[in-house]
Structures are given as C-alpha cells and as structure tokens.
Amino acid sequence: ALALLDAVVLALKDIDRIDRLDQADVILIRLRLRLRLTLEAGLLEQGPVLFLLGQADDVGRQIGGWLKSLNQA
C-alpha cells in the first residue's frame, strides 16, 4: 500500500507521470491479489477485506481514468 502511495504522489508531482501511474496500476493489481489470497486463506475477516477490495477498485478506476486522459492529450 505504501508503494502505491509513493507512485501516486510522484505522479501528482509530475515526476515521470505516465510511468508512475503504470507502476501504481501494477502495484494495485498485486495488492488486490494479496487481499484475495488473505480472504481465501481466512487470515482476515471477510467484511474488512471486501471493504478494502472496494476501495482498491475505486483507486483503480481513478488511475485508469487519469491514464486515459493523459493518453488522449
């Protein structure tokens, strides 16, 4: 999660913006996978994990929209 935050903050500061957003997208994919594995293994309760997965989906949509707007420009 901290790596995701780093990538987004650097993108906001316009430091290799597209590369950082691509990096954030990959990190988010890995985070979602780890959350699903945590849920499947029963290491955390379902409610909090589903909430985090929902938040990850929201962040993913924001990153995707940002990348799309940059690629159209």
Side-chain angles (χ1 to χ4, degrees), residues 18-72:
I18 293 176
D19 290 339
R20 298 297 178 173
L21 289 174
D22 285 336
Q23 179 185 16
D25 193 40
V26 170
I27 293 167
L28 191 57
I29 290 168
R30 290 179 182 152
L31 180 60
R32 284 184 184 129
L33 174 64
R34 290 173 182 156
L35 286 170
R36 288 186 182 106
L37 288 172
T38 300
L39 183 61
E40 194 70 28
L43 298 174
L44 291 175
E45 293 181 24
Q46 184 175 4
V49 174
L50 293 178
F51 173 77
L52 291 172
L53 285 169
Q55 296 298 304
D57 288 344
D58 289 345
V59 171
R61 279 191 290 278
Q62 291 172 0
I63 290 171
W66 195 0
L67 278 168
K68 185 177 178 181
S69 72
L70 291 173
N71 288 329
Q72 289 177 353

Side-chain angles (χ1 to χ4, degrees), residues 2-13:
L2 291 176
L4 176 62
L5 180 61
D6 287 344
V8 170
V9 167
L10 291 172
L12 285 169
K13 291 293 186 178

